[in-house]
Amino acid sequence: MARDLDKERGGRTQTGADPAPAPAAAPHGNGEAPAAQSPLALPAAATPSMAQFLELKAAHRDCLLFYRMGDFYELFFEDAVAAAHALGIVLTKRGKHLGNDIPMCGVPVHRAEEYLQRLIRQGFRVAVCEQLEDPVEARKRGSKAVVRRDVVRLLTPGTLTEDSLLDAKARNYLTALFDGPRSGAGPPTALALASLDISTGECEVGEVPASDLPGEIVRLSPSEVIAADRLLADDGVRQWLAVAGATATPVAAASFDSLAGERLLKARLGVADLEAFGPFSRGELAAVGALLKYVELTQIGKAPSLRPPHRATPANRLVIDAASRASLEMLRSLSGAREGSLLHAIDRTVTGPGARELAGRLSSPLRDPAAIAARLDAVSVLYENEPLRGDLRRSLRAAPDIARALSRLALQRGGPRDLAAVRDGLAAARQCGLLLNDAARGIGLPQALAGIAQRLVACGGELAELLTRALVDDPAHQRRDGGFVRAGFRPDLDAARGLRDDSRKVMAALEAKYVQETGIRSLKVRHNNILGFYIEVSAAQAKPLSSGPLALVFRHRQTMAGTLRFTTAELVEIESRIVTSADRALALEQEVFAELAAQVAALAHAVGTVAAALAELDCETGLAEVAAEQGYVRPHLDASTTFEIRGGRHAVVEQALRAAKSGAFIDNDCVLSAAGPEMCTGIDEVRQARLWLVTGPNMAGKSTFLRQNALIAVLAQMGSFVPARSASIGIVDRLFSRVGAADDLARGRSTFMVEMVETAAILNQATSRSLVILDEIGRGTATFDGLSIAWAVVEHLHEVNRCRALFATHYHELTALADRLSEVANVTMQVREWRDAIVFLHKVTPGAADRSYGIQVGKLAGLPKAVTARAQEVLALLEKTQGKAPDGEALLADLPLFAAARAASHTPTAGAPSPLEDALRALRPDELTPKAALEALYRLKELAGTDA
Ligand code: ADP
């Protein structure tokens, strides 16, 4: 293969689409390098090209090596086997190494992104190796010289920048996780996290107590987490990374160096001091250090854009643990889809960056009333001023994703379309700025919007003006395609293009001239990559060109089946003019591109500021839009511990009911506050209390009611209007939600175990400022166990945590607690019995449910009549015993066993064959006359107890 490696792709031996053997280099998302295979050892006698390949591969053992050869990326050895298997492409072979065939597969360069996307999704890391010089250049060094190649980039899930590899509406965080410095030998008490989306430069740093790590990982939802081996070996960490869908990549513990982190961060931000960005702990700086080092490693020295890091700490955010995030279906529904989530219900943004900003705000609601009020002020103005909102949304729609374009340009991966994105984004920003300033003249702008208006024009007008002059309206994706510079921008480019295009016209004229001179009407001037331009005539008509005077002008070049190809001195001369002028035009365009990219890079910070302002504006305009469309109100937030929602609704269920035309959503009040001198909540007869016990049959709407209040708190603290008539909320520090029971089989725990683990977390962490939503605690065990646990949990919440809480239960016995605990009130979901059926009114009313209506619900669900009737009988007996659990004996003794008795005639007792089976067995079909067969059939039907 040695010699073959540098040959153009072409002479490949196809072995067919044989299913590749199991990949040797399995997806190594966890960073384990595939075992060094002996074929990859560098033999002493290796040829230069083989040595080059093996050396590059040896430096990137944990990656698939995409090895550029002409128009293809080729993969060899076990990489080829793994990639062919993962991509379902043909595995071929090429040459021999150490006496064995070398497996090979490849993907065309122009379709590489599509294949890379599939490999990254499957957990592979890919090293992209490019040709760093033209093969022509290499040949100048001698016929055996190898084309210079090197790896220019590693692709990993957390370091992607291409739009086709990314979700436009979601951040793509790479997160470094650090569990030091530690004080003792025990488990870490706190962990530092540093996250960077290299596709936008967004950066976030923070520290959390170890117990909050799962919630933090789910909040950040990184695509890739880097950490020291020791930390990744921890079962809990590994599991939570898997739950969040993050690839875990081990890095050397030594790269978590706080001094290096500080130095790198200062250098990248171009500042001498980090003070302006807040005090960073040593742990945070160590995480930043590992993060930036890994970015350098994967980007091979190129520096992506980096925005000043923002700090997220439990002190300035509403803390929501992982289980609550999942159960509240904040960003994804329980099935993992965006549809059905709160985010989907409130997302009215019109740009990718706006959608990312919204998701970021939703997953990190705030805690500072002033910061929340500032956001709400902005939403208010946009809510009230409908024409302004409409105009802004129209302008925003035209704004491309500047942040991602900017990042690609910074990494020298950008194309003309990225420059155009900056141009169009800046224009949209200017337009939005004008609209806001116009509005300001009438109504004045709240601080947040005034700040946005100012930042929208942070870049000045020159860059946008330059890009507008320089670029065509709709440029191509790739810079190598050319054609993106507007005519009139550079005179020398116009001249080269003129010559090139002129020459093409000349070529057409030449063809016409030759047709005339030779009299051959089918004569054509054609082009291919091997011959360049040539003259083609059919063999039958070629005679005049091969002999006589014309043969002096037309030189024969090639004979094909049915045609002959010629050239002329004139053709050669024109061809060289075309090639030179086209090359020159392309080279000049590359120059223009480099100049424009440099101009953008020089203003990268200002452009980034504009991009962030556009994202915020889209997010806030979208929140105002959904508020207006869905009838949301501005919540009031303060430092009290009140929670007073009037006419609250569930944002997601409400929209789902409307879409399905299944009737209106019934709104409900929820008032949780410490008992004060005023003992009335305003809801008839519900006394003031911090904890509401919610009873009612299944399907009555308990879960919906619980969740809607948690979601209203989340929406309010992220700075959104809320689905309610009014809402007044004392800032919540932690939100817990334990709704519904689901086995967590993936993590090997039963429903009850999960329930208890999560309940324990709540009881250990909830403070008097927390909001706790508990649904059906204690359902997963025996009745009395469950009731006792639920009872004790309510007491603990009431006496120790003293938080605001909603507790839904089917244990009616619990409602007695309201008489014993001063801060507990009973409410129930109203139901009506109508004839034999039950109607859910979905209305929260004072008091406790008198019974659970389980049998009526069973009827609604279509249980067979015999079963519901039987259940009624059992229930009647149980009610007679008044709560004392009757033992099985008593049940058997007291209940008429009619169902069993009736069944006995045709239900076989275990072991003994039934009369039907006996009869069947006795039948000898071969000996039966048709008449006897018919009679036997009737008898069998009779035995089976069905009508003939
Ligand atoms: P529970 O928890 O009591 O079993 P759910 O909260 O799951 O009941 O509600 C069952 C169904 O009733 C929901 O899927 C929804 O369609 C409907 N529902 C619940 N609350 C309301 C409401 N306030 N208005 C209208 N429909 C509701």
Side-chain angles (χ1 to χ4, degrees), residues 18 90 95 104 143 164 168 207 235 279 359 373 381 390 462 479 490 552 570 589 605 719 778 853 876 880:
D18 47 346
V90 178
M104 178 180 94
S143 64
S164 61
E207 214 165 43
D235 276 351
V381 167
E462 298 84 42
R479 55 191 284 194
R490 256 183 87 151
L552 298 175
E570 200 178 357
E589 288 212 60
H605 185 74
Y853 300 95
K880 250 197 324 199

PDB file of all heavy atoms in Angstrom, residues 18 90 95 104 143 164 168 207 235 279 359 373 381 390 462 479 490 552 570 589 605 719 778 853 876 880:
ATOM      1  N   ASP A  18     -20.267  -6.050   1.862  1.00  0.00           N
ATOM      2  CA  ASP A  18     -20.315  -7.108   2.863  1.00  0.00           C
ATOM      3  C   ASP A  18     -20.429  -6.506   4.249  1.00  0.00           C
ATOM      4  O   ASP A  18     -19.832  -5.497   4.557  1.00  0.00           O
ATOM      5  CB  ASP A  18     -19.053  -7.981   2.789  1.00  0.00           C
ATOM      6  CG  ASP A  18     -17.819  -7.157   2.713  1.00  0.00           C
ATOM      7  OD1 ASP A  18     -17.935  -5.950   2.449  1.00  0.00           O
ATOM      8  OD2 ASP A  18     -16.735  -7.703   2.921  1.00  0.00           O
ATOM      9  N   VAL A  90     -19.432   0.783   1.882  1.00  0.00           N
ATOM     10  CA  VAL A  90     -18.675  -0.357   1.385  1.00  0.00           C
ATOM     11  C   VAL A  90     -17.265  -0.392   1.980  1.00  0.00           C
ATOM     12  O   VAL A  90     -16.562   0.618   2.019  1.00  0.00           O
ATOM     13  CB  VAL A  90     -18.555  -0.267  -0.141  1.00  0.00           C
ATOM     14  CG1 VAL A  90     -17.724  -1.435  -0.683  1.00  0.00           C
ATOM     15  CG2 VAL A  90     -19.936  -0.260  -0.757  1.00  0.00           C
ATOM     16  N   GLY A  95      -3.942  -2.406  -1.368  1.00  0.00           N
ATOM     17  CA  GLY A  95      -2.546  -2.711  -1.079  1.00  0.00           C
ATOM     18  C   GLY A  95      -2.403  -3.686   0.079  1.00  0.00           C
ATOM     19  O   GLY A  95      -3.378  -4.234   0.595  1.00  0.00           O
ATOM     20  N   MET A 104     -10.100  -0.665   3.747  1.00  0.00           N
ATOM     21  CA  MET A 104     -10.224   0.771   3.480  1.00  0.00           C
ATOM     22  C   MET A 104     -11.683   1.107   3.206  1.00  0.00           C
ATOM     23  O   MET A 104     -12.431   0.298   2.663  1.00  0.00           O
ATOM     24  CB  MET A 104      -9.386   1.141   2.261  1.00  0.00           C
ATOM     25  CG  MET A 104      -9.504   2.600   1.894  1.00  0.00           C
ATOM     26  SD  MET A 104      -8.520   3.024   0.443  1.00  0.00           S
ATOM     27  CE  MET A 104      -9.733   2.851  -0.828  1.00  0.00           C
ATOM     28  N   SER A 143       9.825  12.666  -7.347  1.00  0.00           N
ATOM     29  CA  SER A 143       8.663  11.855  -7.708  1.00  0.00           C
ATOM     30  C   SER A 143       8.169  11.006  -6.532  1.00  0.00           C
ATOM     31  O   SER A 143       7.011  10.634  -6.459  1.00  0.00           O
ATOM     32  CB  SER A 143       9.010  10.964  -8.887  1.00  0.00           C
ATOM     33  OG  SER A 143      10.016  10.066  -8.495  1.00  0.00           O
ATOM     34  N   SER A 164     -24.831  21.932  10.261  1.00  0.00           N
ATOM     35  CA  SER A 164     -25.431  20.628   9.964  1.00  0.00           C
ATOM     36  C   SER A 164     -25.182  19.627  11.092  1.00  0.00           C
ATOM     37  O   SER A 164     -25.845  18.612  11.176  1.00  0.00           O
ATOM     38  CB  SER A 164     -24.877  20.081   8.657  1.00  0.00           C
ATOM     39  OG  SER A 164     -23.487  19.908   8.782  1.00  0.00           O
ATOM     40  N   ALA A 168     -30.098  23.923  15.876  1.00  0.00           N
ATOM     41  CA  ALA A 168     -30.124  25.394  15.879  1.00  0.00           C
ATOM     42  C   ALA A 168     -30.708  25.948  17.164  1.00  0.00           C
ATOM     43  O   ALA A 168     -30.359  27.038  17.604  1.00  0.00           O
ATOM     44  CB  ALA A 168     -30.932  25.897  14.691  1.00  0.00           C
ATOM     45  N   GLU A 207     -19.914  26.679  40.820  1.00  0.00           N
ATOM     46  CA  GLU A 207     -19.559  25.629  41.779  1.00  0.00           C
ATOM     47  C   GLU A 207     -20.844  25.170  42.444  1.00  0.00           C
ATOM     48  O   GLU A 207     -21.700  26.006  42.756  1.00  0.00           O
ATOM     49  CB  GLU A 207     -18.604  26.209  42.816  1.00  0.00           C
ATOM     50  CG  GLU A 207     -17.584  25.220  43.314  1.00  0.00           C
ATOM     51  CD  GLU A 207     -16.445  25.918  44.060  1.00  0.00           C
ATOM     52  OE1 GLU A 207     -16.746  26.819  44.858  1.00  0.00           O
ATOM     53  OE2 GLU A 207     -15.294  25.555  43.849  1.00  0.00           O
ATOM     54  N   ASP A 235     -19.709   5.811  40.058  1.00  0.00           N
ATOM     55  CA  ASP A 235     -20.946   5.295  39.460  1.00  0.00           C
ATOM     56  C   ASP A 235     -21.989   6.387  39.279  1.00  0.00           C
ATOM     57  O   ASP A 235     -22.621   6.494  38.231  1.00  0.00           O
ATOM     58  CB  ASP A 235     -21.548   4.206  40.365  1.00  0.00           C
ATOM     59  CG  ASP A 235     -20.896   2.875  40.090  1.00  0.00           C
ATOM     60  OD1 ASP A 235     -20.136   2.803  39.105  1.00  0.00           O
ATOM     61  OD2 ASP A 235     -21.143   1.935  40.870  1.00  0.00           O
ATOM     62  N   PRO A 279     -15.500  36.923  41.356  1.00  0.00           N
ATOM     63  CA  PRO A 279     -14.428  36.152  41.976  1.00  0.00           C
ATOM     64  C   PRO A 279     -14.550  34.678  41.579  1.00  0.00           C
ATOM     65  O   PRO A 279     -15.595  34.072  41.764  1.00  0.00           O
ATOM     66  CB  PRO A 279     -14.700  36.334  43.470  1.00  0.00           C
ATOM     67  CG  PRO A 279     -16.156  36.621  43.561  1.00  0.00           C
ATOM     68  CD  PRO A 279     -16.617  37.192  42.258  1.00  0.00           C
ATOM     69  N   ALA A 359     -34.308  28.693  26.182  1.00  0.00           N
ATOM     70  CA  ALA A 359     -34.057  27.419  26.867  1.00  0.00           C
ATOM     71  C   ALA A 359     -33.101  27.640  28.040  1.00  0.00           C
ATOM     72  O   ALA A 359     -33.272  27.058  29.116  1.00  0.00           O
ATOM     73  CB  ALA A 359     -33.479  26.399  25.891  1.00  0.00           C
ATOM     74  N   ALA A 373     -37.464  41.290  37.932  1.00  0.00           N
ATOM     75  CA  ALA A 373     -38.331  42.422  37.580  1.00  0.00           C
ATOM     76  C   ALA A 373     -37.813  43.122  36.324  1.00  0.00           C
ATOM     77  O   ALA A 373     -38.598  43.553  35.482  1.00  0.00           O
ATOM     78  CB  ALA A 373     -38.406  43.395  38.753  1.00  0.00           C
ATOM     79  N   VAL A 381     -43.372  45.786  28.335  1.00  0.00           N
ATOM     80  CA  VAL A 381     -43.451  46.789  27.279  1.00  0.00           C
ATOM     81  C   VAL A 381     -43.779  46.132  25.948  1.00  0.00           C
ATOM     82  O   VAL A 381     -44.627  46.597  25.182  1.00  0.00           O
ATOM     83  CB  VAL A 381     -42.114  47.565  27.180  1.00  0.00           C
ATOM     84  CG1 VAL A 381     -42.049  48.376  25.913  1.00  0.00           C
ATOM     85  CG2 VAL A 381     -41.945  48.435  28.405  1.00  0.00           C
ATOM     86  N   GLY A 390     -44.828  43.247  16.785  1.00  0.00           N
ATOM     87  CA  GLY A 390     -44.960  42.690  15.436  1.00  0.00           C
ATOM     88  C   GLY A 390     -43.797  43.120  14.553  1.00  0.00           C
ATOM     89  O   GLY A 390     -43.192  42.297  13.849  1.00  0.00           O
ATOM     90  N   GLU A 462     -19.961  50.609   9.984  1.00  0.00           N
ATOM     91  CA  GLU A 462     -18.982  50.422   8.897  1.00  0.00           C
ATOM     92  C   GLU A 462     -18.863  48.970   8.438  1.00  0.00           C
ATOM     93  O   GLU A 462     -18.779  48.701   7.241  1.00  0.00           O
ATOM     94  CB  GLU A 462     -17.584  50.920   9.292  1.00  0.00           C
ATOM     95  CG  GLU A 462     -17.477  52.395   9.613  1.00  0.00           C
ATOM     96  CD  GLU A 462     -17.869  52.685  11.045  1.00  0.00           C
ATOM     97  OE1 GLU A 462     -17.459  51.892  11.925  1.00  0.00           O
ATOM     98  OE2 GLU A 462     -18.587  53.655  11.315  1.00  0.00           O
ATOM     99  N   ARG A 479     -15.947  28.894   0.247  1.00  0.00           N
ATOM    100  CA  ARG A 479     -15.184  29.979  -0.352  1.00  0.00           C
ATOM    101  C   ARG A 479     -14.490  29.523  -1.634  1.00  0.00           C
ATOM    102  O   ARG A 479     -14.286  30.308  -2.552  1.00  0.00           O
ATOM    103  CB  ARG A 479     -14.182  30.558   0.645  1.00  0.00           C
ATOM    104  CG  ARG A 479     -13.247  29.527   1.251  1.00  0.00           C
ATOM    105  CD  ARG A 479     -12.482  30.114   2.398  1.00  0.00           C
ATOM    106  NE  ARG A 479     -11.416  30.982   1.900  1.00  0.00           N
ATOM    107  CZ  ARG A 479     -10.422  31.418   2.653  1.00  0.00           C
ATOM    108  NH1 ARG A 479     -10.388  31.115   3.930  1.00  0.00           N
ATOM    109  NH2 ARG A 479      -9.482  32.169   2.159  1.00  0.00           N
ATOM    110  N   ARG A 490     -14.031  45.249  -6.403  1.00  0.00           N
ATOM    111  CA  ARG A 490     -12.584  45.332  -6.634  1.00  0.00           C
ATOM    112  C   ARG A 490     -12.322  45.347  -8.131  1.00  0.00           C
ATOM    113  O   ARG A 490     -12.593  44.357  -8.819  1.00  0.00           O
ATOM    114  CB  ARG A 490     -11.882  44.117  -6.019  1.00  0.00           C
ATOM    115  CG  ARG A 490     -11.177  44.454  -4.729  1.00  0.00           C
ATOM    116  CD  ARG A 490     -10.454  43.275  -4.225  1.00  0.00           C
ATOM    117  NE  ARG A 490      -9.121  43.195  -4.807  1.00  0.00           N
ATOM    118  CZ  ARG A 490      -8.101  42.639  -4.177  1.00  0.00           C
ATOM    119  NH1 ARG A 490      -8.263  42.129  -2.990  1.00  0.00           N
ATOM    120  NH2 ARG A 490      -6.923  42.594  -4.746  1.00  0.00           N
ATOM    121  N   LEU A 552      -3.477  20.125 -41.009  1.00  0.00           N
ATOM    122  CA  LEU A 552      -2.368  20.950 -40.501  1.00  0.00           C
ATOM    123  C   LEU A 552      -2.801  21.781 -39.294  1.00  0.00           C
ATOM    124  O   LEU A 552      -2.016  22.140 -38.436  1.00  0.00           O
ATOM    125  CB  LEU A 552      -1.867  21.892 -41.620  1.00  0.00           C
ATOM    126  CG  LEU A 552      -1.297  21.180 -42.835  1.00  0.00           C
ATOM    127  CD1 LEU A 552      -0.955  22.183 -43.927  1.00  0.00           C
ATOM    128  CD2 LEU A 552      -0.044  20.399 -42.415  1.00  0.00           C
ATOM    129  N   GLU A 570      -4.815  27.471 -31.578  1.00  0.00           N
ATOM    130  CA  GLU A 570      -5.669  28.564 -31.132  1.00  0.00           C
ATOM    131  C   GLU A 570      -6.452  28.165 -29.867  1.00  0.00           C
ATOM    132  O   GLU A 570      -6.569  28.929 -28.907  1.00  0.00           O
ATOM    133  CB  GLU A 570      -6.640  28.884 -32.263  1.00  0.00           C
ATOM    134  CG  GLU A 570      -7.257  30.259 -32.184  1.00  0.00           C
ATOM    135  CD  GLU A 570      -8.178  30.496 -33.389  1.00  0.00           C
ATOM    136  OE1 GLU A 570      -8.251  29.596 -34.275  1.00  0.00           O
ATOM    137  OE2 GLU A 570      -8.799  31.552 -33.439  1.00  0.00           O
ATOM    138  N   GLU A 589     -10.675  36.561  -5.109  1.00  0.00           N
ATOM    139  CA  GLU A 589     -11.829  36.411  -4.203  1.00  0.00           C
ATOM    140  C   GLU A 589     -11.376  35.879  -2.844  1.00  0.00           C
ATOM    141  O   GLU A 589     -11.881  36.293  -1.804  1.00  0.00           O
ATOM    142  CB  GLU A 589     -12.868  35.456  -4.808  1.00  0.00           C
ATOM    143  CG  GLU A 589     -13.610  36.074  -5.977  1.00  0.00           C
ATOM    144  CD  GLU A 589     -15.044  35.579  -6.078  1.00  0.00           C
ATOM    145  OE1 GLU A 589     -15.813  35.784  -5.124  1.00  0.00           O
ATOM    146  OE2 GLU A 589     -15.379  34.969  -7.111  1.00  0.00           O
ATOM    147  N   HIS A 605     -15.697  41.000  19.160  1.00  0.00           N
ATOM    148  CA  HIS A 605     -16.337  41.221  20.454  1.00  0.00           C
ATOM    149  C   HIS A 605     -17.630  42.020  20.284  1.00  0.00           C
ATOM    150  O   HIS A 605     -18.681  41.678  20.830  1.00  0.00           O
ATOM    151  CB  HIS A 605     -15.374  41.944  21.389  1.00  0.00           C
ATOM    152  CG  HIS A 605     -15.943  42.085  22.759  1.00  0.00           C
ATOM    153  ND1 HIS A 605     -16.042  41.019  23.630  1.00  0.00           N
ATOM    154  CD2 HIS A 605     -16.497  43.151  23.392  1.00  0.00           C
ATOM    155  CE1 HIS A 605     -16.619  41.426  24.748  1.00  0.00           C
ATOM    156  NE2 HIS A 605     -16.911  42.708  24.625  1.00  0.00           N
ATOM    157  N   GLY A 719     -38.593  35.068  34.508  1.00  0.00           N
ATOM    158  CA  GLY A 719     -38.898  36.389  33.960  1.00  0.00           C
ATOM    159  C   GLY A 719     -39.944  36.341  32.871  1.00  0.00           C
ATOM    160  O   GLY A 719     -39.901  37.129  31.931  1.00  0.00           O
ATOM    161  N   GLY A 778     -45.640   7.101  48.700  1.00  0.00           N
ATOM    162  CA  GLY A 778     -45.952   5.900  49.466  1.00  0.00           C
ATOM    163  C   GLY A 778     -46.854   4.933  48.725  1.00  0.00           C
ATOM    164  O   GLY A 778     -47.360   3.980  49.294  1.00  0.00           O
ATOM    165  N   TYR A 853     -63.590   6.713  44.393  1.00  0.00           N
ATOM    166  CA  TYR A 853     -64.265   6.484  43.103  1.00  0.00           C
ATOM    167  C   TYR A 853     -63.436   5.615  42.164  1.00  0.00           C
ATOM    168  O   TYR A 853     -63.585   5.721  40.961  1.00  0.00           O
ATOM    169  CB  TYR A 853     -64.573   7.817  42.400  1.00  0.00           C
ATOM    170  CG  TYR A 853     -65.472   8.746  43.181  1.00  0.00           C
ATOM    171  CD1 TYR A 853     -64.931   9.744  43.977  1.00  0.00           C
ATOM    172  CD2 TYR A 853     -66.869   8.611  43.116  1.00  0.00           C
ATOM    173  CE1 TYR A 853     -65.749  10.602  44.695  1.00  0.00           C
ATOM    174  CE2 TYR A 853     -67.684   9.476  43.832  1.00  0.00           C
ATOM    175  CZ  TYR A 853     -67.121  10.463  44.621  1.00  0.00           C
ATOM    176  OH  TYR A 853     -67.919  11.312  45.330  1.00  0.00           O
ATOM    177  N   ALA A 876     -67.859  -3.021  49.418  1.00  0.00           N
ATOM    178  CA  ALA A 876     -68.917  -2.930  50.416  1.00  0.00           C
ATOM    179  C   ALA A 876     -68.493  -3.661  51.692  1.00  0.00           C
ATOM    180  O   ALA A 876     -68.657  -3.170  52.802  1.00  0.00           O
ATOM    181  CB  ALA A 876     -70.203  -3.535  49.858  1.00  0.00           C
ATOM    182  N   LYS A 880     -67.635  -2.183  55.455  1.00  0.00           N
ATOM    183  CA  LYS A 880     -68.300  -2.702  56.666  1.00  0.00           C
ATOM    184  C   LYS A 880     -67.295  -2.883  57.799  1.00  0.00           C
ATOM    185  O   LYS A 880     -67.583  -2.667  58.956  1.00  0.00           O
ATOM    186  CB  LYS A 880     -68.967  -4.045  56.355  1.00  0.00           C
ATOM    187  CG  LYS A 880     -70.471  -3.918  56.359  1.00  0.00           C
ATOM    188  CD  LYS A 880     -71.243  -5.218  56.475  1.00  0.00           C
ATOM    189  CE  LYS A 880     -70.644  -6.383  55.780  1.00  0.00           C
ATOM    190  NZ  LYS A 880     -71.483  -7.507  55.498  1.00  0.00           N
TER     191      LYS A 880
END
